[in-house]
Amino acid sequence: IDHNLPINKSLDIATWDLECEFNNTDHRTELNGMDRLIVRRGQPFSIKLKLRYGEYQAGLSSLTCIAETGPSPSDQYGTRAVFDVAAGSDNPSAWSATVTSPPGNVVALSICPAADAPIGRWTLTLGGSCRIDFILLFNPWCSGDSVYMDNEEYLKEYVLSQDGIIYRGTLEQILPFPWNFGQFEYGILDVCLKILDTNPKYLRNPGKDCSGRRNPIYVSRVLSAMVNCNGDAGVVLGRWPALDKLSSDNPYEGGESPMSWKGSVDILLNWDSSSCSPVRYGQCWVFAAVACSVSRALGIPCRVVTNYISAHDTNRNLLIEYFYDENGRNHGRDMIWTFHCWVENWMTRPDLKPEYDGWQVVDPTPQEKSEGVYCCGPVSVKAVKEGELATKYDAPFVFAEVNADKVDYIRQADGSNKKMTSFTGVGQKISTKSVGNDRREDITHLYKYPEGSEEERETFRKADHLNKLLHRQESQGLKLAIEVAAEKRKGCDFDVIAVASNSTTSEKKCRLLFSSMAVSYTGVVKDNCGFKDLLNVELPPGGERRVPLRLNYSKYCDALTEDNLIRLAALLVDYSTKETIFTLRDIVLDNPEIKILGEPKQNRKLAAEITVQNPLPVPLSNCCFSIEGANLTGGKTIKERLESTVEPGEDAKVKIYFKPNHSGLRKLVVDFNSSKLCHVKGYKNVIIGK
């Protein structure tokens, strides 16, 4: 023992080691890199201090620690903490520091941030001479953190997984859409923190905003607003050509089609490198995917969710009214989208009842303002299911997306509107990627009780949704349905069939109109692809009539939007009763399959061979493959162009080279574009060996 060491002598620190490799690995942030300290709140990290002279002696030596975040650290806002090295702390809301080494001139210090500390960039000052910069994230592995999730497999999927599946298509034909979230790619975490520092609340009051970052409710709401650029310097500019009535010649001039994005990395890096100018362009799945990347990067468990037959209730009356003409075109203002994507973030809700903890809907697509800002949520999924519309935030809007009542009218020749019997149910097959595999998980039961159940009726009464209770009806005698072949390849001619049936005891004479139109996923109808009007359809008692409609490539090829969607509309009018029955069905045309061959290994340059067959009766020119994958392509998109045209039935083929830099399961995502065949997606799961 050095008897010359005075009591309560402050330690004189000469050098320090942040042990980034050990700490980052322990805190599950190692994929962000090992060159700086990135840790999670509520979990200790270690620092080694080498003293200039003397030794650390418990009870004799002293060391004051000061942790600060934000431009104006404050005890009042919780953005500054002062604490001494002590035996330890049982208070998860307090910062603590303990020495874990024996007496000597090298001191192993264990620092534990408060489990509710604001996330972001922090500075830790030790003894006045040692200044350490580090990044603090949410910690879903810590039971004291409000984003705690007690399931390791869920954490691997919803925090650590860098790729996934987003679902598009239609209710009857759900299509998996691969996405590279890339939250651990180089530079992405810095961009995510920059998003927080660019939000208007920070610019108005940075101290209060930094303090709010302790709360995932606050952070999720900020991200919902900042992922879109409506009213702020947000990340993505939305564009829906059909909704905005833009020219079809070049609707995405000055940017990229939303369909062209394969991941969030390019979007986030482009926003950062362009001085926070919005990236052009996005639609709902792009907004949701970027929000998912940022949430996971910050440590909030997050998943992308797709709702099929999704309502947009502009006047919040839980009623969607469509006014159709005989061709199936809607002339009303309300909208139902073929699908709509949002995210769910996992957190506790201390501002609500305990049963409303867990998944919260956060919708970054700019649709309606909330508290004067284009954002939506977080709102508890459980609260939506229970019809608790007074729940923060934006419960009525989300409830309507999955529960609004759709009422259809047919516009008569004299201009009057006649109510029709229809069979469209809002909010179906709500989908997300399963944990640990690429199968689709149906989570509709988390949002809705079974249709017709007593629980559902009680929910509607609670939500004052009496219209849905009163107006459930369908024809007791005539039925109308649309059948579609299993294979509907783009480039081929195929039949769709309207099936009218009569379950009454008397013969029915009817008029049947059957139309097909190109449509966007937001429900905006474009050009006609085929039409039939049968004035004398006779239906005997118990009989049916099957009416085919041929869809020819020569007719639909130039009418299609990039969504590859065709809306089929059938209208049946009973001459005797004047009853009108109407049904819609959206179909998506199949693109060809992309084939990927090759098995990469870590730190070895390998090749992947990618092919796609031309299914069209015309040659393809300007062919280009775009390839990317988390930890596969170095955070960049690889593009390979073909010089020659690809004749009908022939393969477009490229070979690409890349060098994976981390082991594990990854997705190689491919996008093919050409003059006549665009946005053909494909992916391959690859296991990167060591």
Side-chain angles (χ1 to χ4, degrees), residues 367-434:
Q367 297 175 90
E368 301 293 327
K369 285 187 175 181
S370 172
E371 298 180 342
V373 178
Y374 279 102
C375 66
C376 180
V379 58
S380 164
V381 172
K382 178 68 171 176
V384 172
K385 182 174 183 177
E386 297 298 333
E388 295 284 359
L389 302 195
T391 304
K392 288 185 176 180
Y393 292 88
D394 310 306
F397 186 81
V398 177
F399 183 86
E401 287 184 302
V402 299
N403 280 305
D405 192 16
K406 183 171 183 284
V407 181
D408 293 327
Y409 299 89
I410 182 71
R411 184 159 291 178
Q412 307 288 315
D414 61 3
S416 63
N417 296 309
K418 177 180 174 60
K419 190 173 180 181
M420 299 185 292
T421 300
S422 61
F423 308 98
T424 303
V426 166
Q428 299 188 52
K429 292 187 179 178
I430 303 174
S431 303
T432 191
K433 177 186 175 298
S434 293

Side-chain angles (χ1 to χ4, degrees), residues 26 66 79 137 145 212 219 252 261-262 273 277 329 344 351 374 408 467 497 500 539 552 565 597 599 614:
D26 192 45
I66 303 174
T79 52
L137 304 177
D145 197 309
V219 171
Y252 301 114
W261 302 113
K262 298 169 291 302
S273 64
S277 295
R329 294 180 183 271
E344 291 176 357
D351 57 328
Y374 279 102
D408 293 327
N467 190 77
I497 300 172
L539 296 173
N552 297 305
L565 287 170
L597 301 176
E599 294 295 337
N614 177 10

Side-chain angles (χ1 to χ4, degrees), residues 198-367:
T198 308
N199 94 83
K201 293 181 179 180
Y202 177 85
L203 300 178
R204 284 195 298 268
N205 189 336
K208 186 176 180 180
D209 177 78
C210 287
S211 175
R213 297 178 192 180
R214 68 176 65 245
N215 186 349
I217 302 171
Y218 179 84
V219 171
S220 294
R221 196 153 171 80
V222 166
L223 293 181
S224 174
M226 284 298 296
V227 167
N228 72 75
C229 68
N230 292 41
D232 53 39
V235 178
V236 180
L237 175 62
R239 175 158 289 185
W240 292 264
L243 287 177
D244 300 332
K245 298 181 179 178
L246 299 174
S247 166
S248 59
D249 293 338
N250 190 9
Y252 301 114
E253 185 176 2
E256 299 285 344
S257 160
M259 286 289 293
S260 70
W261 302 113
K262 298 169 291 302
S264 306
V265 176
D266 282 349
I267 295 172
L268 291 168
L269 294 180
N270 287 346
W271 176 79
D272 179 53
S273 64
S274 64
S275 302
C276 305
S277 295
V279 176
R280 303 167 185 257
Y281 294 98
Q283 292 175 6
C284 69
W285 68 91
V286 178
F287 291 111
V290 172
C292 184
S293 296
V294 178
S295 296
R296 290 183 183 183
L298 298 178
I300 303 175
C302 184
R303 62 187 184 183
V304 178
V305 170
T306 301
N307 176 42
Y308 289 91
I309 317 298
S310 189
H312 183 168
D313 182 19
T314 54
N315 57 10
R316 302 199 173 192
N317 67 349
L318 303 179
L319 191 64
I320 305 296
E321 295 179 303
Y322 266 39
F323 297 87
Y324 291 102
D325 60 24
E326 291 183 341
N327 294 317
R329 294 180 183 271
N330 171 38
H331 297 273
R333 296 180 60 188
D334 288 332
M335 291 184 294
I336 290 184
W337 292 12
T338 304
F339 67 88
H340 179 53
C341 299
W342 56 71
V343 296
E344 291 176 357
N345 284 359
W346 179 272
M347 66 192 73
T348 59
R349 290 300 299 265
D351 57 328
L352 304 177
K353 299 175 184 177
E355 58 264 34
Y356 294 153
D357 292 347
W359 290 118
Q360 314 288 319
V361 172
V362 179
D363 191 346
T365 299
Q367 297 175 90

